[in-house]
Amino acid sequence: MTTLLILDLVGTFVFALSGAIAGIKKRLDLFGVLVISFAAGNAGGITRDILIGAVPPGAISNWMYIVVSMFAGLVIFFYSSFIHRHKNFILIFDGAGLALFAVTGTQKALTFGLNPLAAALLGMLTGIGGGIVRDLLINEIPTVLRAELYAVAALAGSFIVVAGYELNFHPATMSIIGAFTCFAIRFMAIRRGWKLPIADIGNES
Amino acid sequence: MTTLLILDLVGTFVFALSGAIAGIKKRLDLFGVLVISFAAGNAGGITRDILIGAVPPGAISNWMYIVVSMFAGLVIFFYSSFIHRHKNFILIFDGAGLALFAVTGTQKALTFGLNPLAAALLGMLTGIGGGIVRDLLINEIPTVLRAELYAVAALAGSFIVVAGYELNFHPATMSIIGAFTCFAIRFMAIRRGWKLPIADIGNES
Amino acid sequence: MTTLLILDLVGTFVFALSGAIAGIKKRLDLFGVLVISFAAGNAGGITRDILIGAVPPGAISNWMYIVVSMFAGLVIFFYSSFIHRHKNFILIFDGAGLALFAVTGTQKALTFGLNPLAAALLGMLTGIGGGIVRDLLINEIPTVLRAELYAVAALAGSFIVVAGYELNFHPATMSIIGAFTCFAIRFMAIRRGWKLPIADIGNES
């Protein structure tokens, strides 16, 4: 088991936690919670794999992604009070998952021969896709489209990986720098309340 | 035309009926109703086929799936009173469709070389995918994530098929047992009101 | 750069405009607006490409689609008053985009060997897919399922292309006729308020 796989599974676990929390808030039953856990933890990677032609996606063919997602769902289901007492803890892990997925998603897209811009966007999509599907399933506008520099942080990390690839820098080093940059942007945005501007065309929906 | 294809088309027809009913309730026009009919009847199978790399999906390349879906939509559109008078009838057919899709979806995934756990999950996804997309299109939280043992029944049927495959039992026999088990679980869950537990973290959404 | 690509990019630009407008109405931030712009402009083509096995989809691998989508999002974000003053202008462009995507989507599906009925449906899907994903992301029932002859217009254009293909007519000529027919149906439907019938089963959702 490679370091990359371990880190990817950590990201899956954290995002699956967020899915389980969302499902429980909407009062889904145990199975519904597990389905949303799996979707939140793996939809980003599955979408990336479908788009680059890597089927069946790793999240489907490797049983570890499934087991990790289910485990996260069960943890939240039976120990939901834990979440209430450790909200900051979860936010930090969520930022770490985002950073990781952005970097590994970009690398996988580059490996499959996509151009730099597409690879960076697919890295971002890997990071934010799980949260989007999670929110669609519970019938809400995806928070990742509104949260503090969420997608921006993912994109920053992805671009650093792509830049390193183009300049023939050492991949692992650039991945660490990219992941750290993504995490730092997200972390600071939460602490300081940084937000992107909102336009106004005068009529509320 | 094989028996399998006939049974698959029956499942498509029943799920397409459920899609048409949902579209009409939301007051979509005739074409919107037909689009949701097609989505409800085929989204599960299409998603499975994309994930295992079987493109174009059978539901797209075989015109019979399209015709059957359209026919179901038209039946509901022009004879919607029929549905009101035969609600139990529809629930029974829906359970039969779920059972069928779970079993055929699992078999197709196994044929494409997926591992047992992935095949069982894809079988379940084939069964519940149409209902999920149907409900997303009409802007509701998917009922299959909350209905009485819906996904659980599908998964039970899928696991029986997978177990038979691993143990080299006769595929057709195991498919019948799997489909029957799925249908029986769902049927009993509706009659007895069986539900999975719901967690509570104290705050309503 | 072929004429076809230019026309395709024009369609992407117009649909991306509609996505940006939707995102701004929902008060998403700049990045959320750009994500919806990209989704609205490209989801139809991406879905078609996934279904016919043309991965990575052109909208991902060709940077021009990404740049055009971002540009449309930025234009709306910073000059949203323009949209208010030119609503009819936008509707006309939207009709043109629909016509174009229906025709190019059908041609691409035929090129990949799909049967006529499937090719026509994929052409329609290329035209309406972006609007569906846009509306799902902002948590509304897709307007393309309810708008005046929207999907019908797309399907009419697609069928003309398919008919020409089957009859060995000149492809470019049939494409122009198909696109013009689609645009004319949509244009007249808006002006005259043409709508398809709505069924009623007696209970509002």
Side-chain angles (χ1 to χ4, degrees):
Chain A
M1 195 149 111
T2 67
T3 309
L4 195 66
L5 179 56
I6 293 172
L7 294 175
D8 213 23
L9 290 172
V10 172
T12 301
F13 181 76
V14 182
F15 279 122
L17 291 179
S18 78
I21 294 169
I24 286 170
K25 279 189 180 171
K26 290 287 180 176
R27 307 195 64 67
L28 301 186
D29 67 24
L30 174 57
F31 208 86
V33 168
L34 294 182
V35 170
I36 297 211
S37 297
F38 182 77
N42 298 283
I46 289 173
T47 306
R48 175 204 60 214
D49 287 353
I50 290 173
L51 289 172
I52 63 178
V55 290
I60 301 287
S61 59
N62 186 334
W63 58 269
M64 280 187 278
Y65 289 93
I66 298 163
V67 169
V68 163
S69 305
M70 299 297 98
F71 180 65
L74 291 171
V75 165
I76 297 293
F77 197 82
F78 292 111
Y79 302 97
S80 54
S81 62
F82 175 85
I83 297 302
H84 270 285
R85 275 180 282 122
H86 298 83
K87 273 188 179 159
N88 293 332
F89 195 66
I90 294 295
L91 267 179
I92 287 173
F93 263 99
D94 181 70
L98 180 71
L100 204 66
F101 276 179
V103 166
T104 57
T106 306
Q107 284 181 325
K108 186 160 186 179
L110 288 170
T111 306
F112 273 74
L114 274 79
N115 68 62
L117 181 57
L121 287 172
L122 283 170
M124 182 192 78
L125 181 64
T126 309
I128 72 174
I132 289 177
V133 172
R134 175 196 67 210
D135 293 348
L136 289 181
L137 286 174
I138 59 168
N139 202 19
E140 293 193 347
I141 296 179
T143 53
V144 303
L145 299 180
R146 300 203 268 202
E148 298 90 348
L149 302 188
Y150 199 90
V152 173
L155 194 56
S158 300
F159 267 120
I160 287 172
V161 173
V162 164
Y165 179 84
E166 290 292 302
L167 299 168
N168 280 315
F169 287 172
H170 190 247
T173 307
M174 294 307 285
S175 291
I176 292 167
I177 295 174
F180 184 80
T181 304
C182 172
F183 181 80
I185 292 175
R186 175 71 182 137
F187 184 78
M188 291 303 291
I190 293 172
R191 276 190 77 99
R192 303 279 173 97
W194 289 343
K195 286 192 181 255
L196 287 175
I198 294 174
D200 189 1
I201 58 172
N203 55 341
E204 303 279 321
S205 67
Chain B
M1 195 148 112
T2 65
T3 310
L4 194 66
L5 179 56
I6 293 172
L7 294 175
D8 213 23
L9 290 172
V10 172
T12 301
F13 181 75
V14 181
F15 279 123
L17 291 179
S18 78
I21 294 169
I24 285 169
K25 279 188 179 171
K26 290 288 180 176
R27 307 195 64 69
L28 301 185
D29 67 24
L30 174 57
F31 208 87
V33 168
L34 294 181
V35 170
I36 297 211
S37 296
F38 182 78
N42 298 283
I46 289 173
T47 306
R48 175 204 59 213
D49 287 353
I50 290 173
L51 289 172
I52 63 177
V55 290
I60 301 287
S61 60
N62 185 334
W63 59 269
M64 281 188 278
Y65 289 93
I66 298 163
V67 169
V68 163
S69 305
M70 300 296 98
F71 180 65
L74 291 171
V75 165
I76 296 293
F77 197 83
F78 293 110
Y79 300 98
S80 54
S81 62
F82 175 85
I83 298 302
H84 270 284
R85 275 181 281 122
H86 298 84
K87 273 189 178 159
N88 293 332
F89 196 67
I90 294 295
L91 267 180
I92 286 173
F93 264 97
D94 180 71
L98 180 71
L100 205 65
F101 276 178
V103 165
T104 58
T106 305
Q107 284 180 325
K108 186 160 187 179
L110 288 170
T111 306
F112 273 74
L114 273 80
N115 68 61
L117 180 57
L121 287 172
L122 283 171
M124 182 192 78
L125 180 65
T126 309
I128 71 174
I132 289 177
V133 172
R134 175 196 67 211
D135 292 349
L136 289 181
L137 286 175
I138 60 168
N139 203 20
E140 294 193 348
I141 296 179
T143 52
V144 304
L145 299 180
R146 300 203 268 203
E148 298 89 348
L149 302 189
Y150 199 91
V152 173
L155 194 56
S158 300
F159 267 121
I160 287 171
V161 174
V162 164
Y165 179 84
E166 289 293 301
L167 300 167
N168 278 317
F169 287 172
H170 189 248
T173 307
M174 294 307 284
S175 292
I176 292 168
I177 295 173
F180 183 80
T181 304
C182 172
F183 181 80
I185 292 174
R186 175 73 180 136
F187 184 78
M188 291 304 291
I190 293 172
R191 275 190 76 99
R192 303 278 173 96
W194 291 343
K195 285 191 182 258
L196 287 174
I198 294 174
D200 189 1
I201 58 172
N203 55 342
E204 303 279 321
S205 65
Chain C
M1 195 149 113
T2 67
T3 310
L4 195 66
L5 179 56
I6 292 172
L7 294 175
D8 213 24
L9 290 171
V10 172
T12 300
F13 181 75
V14 182
F15 279 122
L17 290 179
S18 78
I21 294 168
I24 286 169
K25 279 188 179 171
K26 289 288 181 177
R27 308 195 63 68
L28 301 185
D29 67 24
L30 174 57
F31 208 87
V33 168
L34 294 181
V35 170
I36 297 212
S37 297
F38 182 78
N42 298 284
I46 289 173
T47 307
R48 174 204 59 212
D49 288 352
I50 290 173
L51 289 172
I52 63 177
V55 290
I60 301 287
S61 59
N62 186 334
W63 59 268
M64 282 187 278
Y65 289 94
I66 297 164
V67 170
V68 163
S69 305
M70 298 297 99
F71 179 64
L74 290 171
V75 165
I76 296 292
F77 196 83
F78 292 110
Y79 301 99
S80 54
S81 62
F82 176 85
I83 298 301
H84 270 284
R85 275 181 281 121
H86 299 84
K87 272 189 180 159
N88 293 333
F89 196 67
I90 294 294
L91 267 180
I92 287 173
F93 263 99
D94 181 70
L98 180 71
L100 204 66
F101 276 179
V103 166
T104 57
T106 306
Q107 284 181 326
K108 186 159 187 180
L110 288 169
T111 306
F112 273 74
L114 273 80
N115 68 61
L117 180 58
L121 287 172
L122 283 170
M124 182 192 78
L125 180 65
T126 309
I128 72 175
I132 289 177
V133 172
R134 175 197 66 212
D135 293 348
L136 289 181
L137 286 174
I138 60 168
N139 202 20
E140 294 192 350
I141 295 179
T143 52
V144 304
L145 298 180
R146 299 203 268 203
E148 298 90 348
L149 303 188
Y150 199 91
V152 172
L155 193 57
S158 300
F159 267 121
I160 287 170
V161 173
V162 164
Y165 179 84
E166 290 293 301
L167 299 167
N168 280 315
F169 287 172
H170 190 247
T173 308
M174 294 307 286
S175 292
I176 292 168
I177 296 174
F180 183 80
T181 304
C182 171
F183 181 79
I185 291 174
R186 175 72 181 137
F187 184 77
M188 292 302 291
I190 293 172
R191 275 190 77 98
R192 302 279 172 96
W194 289 344
K195 285 192 181 256
L196 286 175
I198 294 174
D200 189 0
I201 58 170
N203 55 342
E204 303 279 322
S205 67

